[in-house]
Amino acid sequence: MSVVILDGSTVRSFVADEAAFARSVDARFAALDANGDGVLSRAELRRALESFRLLDGGGFGSAEPLPLPAEVATLYDAVFEQFDADHSGAVDHAEFRDEMRRIMLAVADGLGSQPLQVAVDDEGGSFLLEAAEHEAAMIAAKVQEESRKAAEEADGK
């Protein structure tokens, strides 16, 4: 686990960088495409959703019962239908990228403008971790450019 500090602008900037976002989403897609056929089946997407462990119980110290298997199946089916925009029965690269863009922008809206500390999984290719790393790289490049300009000005005087 890693802890990053980010806000909505961190996530929006990452999504706006088409090349960086596409690399990240395409890598995640390839990792999820277990049989390598270039599309995600319902089972492949379900395995990915199950790995998030969102439905393992009500939360810390919660007395909420676990959801019924039928409820879980209905939820996973609804998520799959959201990704499968053309209702072909499989999720292709474009559908996956478009839905991940919508999800990440919704996350950005939810984060708002106040910086938050967020614990992220640094082993599973967290999009939030990648967004924070993208922002750090952009800041480092800006600082380096400003230092270079200052050095050139100092040399020129």
Side-chain angles (χ1 to χ4, degrees), residues 40-47 49-50 55 68-85 87-91 99:
L40 298 179
S41 67
R42 191 174 296 269
E44 287 169 327
L45 190 57
R46 181 176 177 143
R47 276 192 297 276
L49 295 171
E50 287 172 344
L55 301 174
L68 298 172
E71 292 172 333
V72 173
T74 300
L75 175 63
Y76 288 145
D77 286 343
V79 171
F80 183 84
E81 295 303 322
Q82 192 68 33
F83 274 87
D84 184 19
H87 307 291
S88 66
V91 177
E99 190 59 26

Side-chain angles (χ1 to χ4, degrees), residues 44-155:
E44 287 169 327
L45 190 57
R46 181 176 177 143
R47 276 192 297 276
L49 295 171
E50 287 172 344
S51 74
F52 297 145
R53 301 181 60 153
L54 299 175
L55 301 174
D56 282 354
F60 299 110
S62 173
E64 291 290 319
L66 291 173
L68 298 172
E71 292 172 333
V72 173
T74 300
L75 175 63
Y76 288 145
D77 286 343
V79 171
F80 183 84
E81 295 303 322
Q82 192 68 33
F83 274 87
D84 184 19
D86 66 1
H87 307 291
S88 66
V91 177
D92 63 30
H93 276 94
E95 289 172 320
F96 187 74
R97 190 178 303 128
D98 290 347
E99 190 59 26
M100 288 310 304
R101 179 177 285 108
R102 280 190 286 276
I103 290 169
M104 292 302 292
L105 291 175
V107 168
D109 289 345
L111 287 172
S113 61
Q114 296 297 318
L116 297 172
Q117 285 185 337
V118 179
V120 294
D121 181 3
D122 51 7
E123 292 180 19
S126 165
F127 286 118
L128 292 179
L129 178 59
E130 291 181 39
E133 290 171 345
H134 178 266
E135 182 178 60
M138 299 299 285
I139 291 169
K142 184 177 179 181
V143 168
Q144 187 175 29
E145 179 64 18
E146 289 172 357
S147 295
R148 185 191 60 76
K149 286 181 181 178
E152 287 176 358
E153 289 176 11
D155 289 342

Side-chain angles (χ1 to χ4, degrees), residues 5-7 9-10 13-14 130-140:
I5 299 174
L6 47 76
D7 65 6
S9 67
T10 304
S13 173
F14 176 57
E130 291 181 39
E133 290 171 345
H134 178 266
E135 182 178 60
M138 299 299 285
I139 291 169

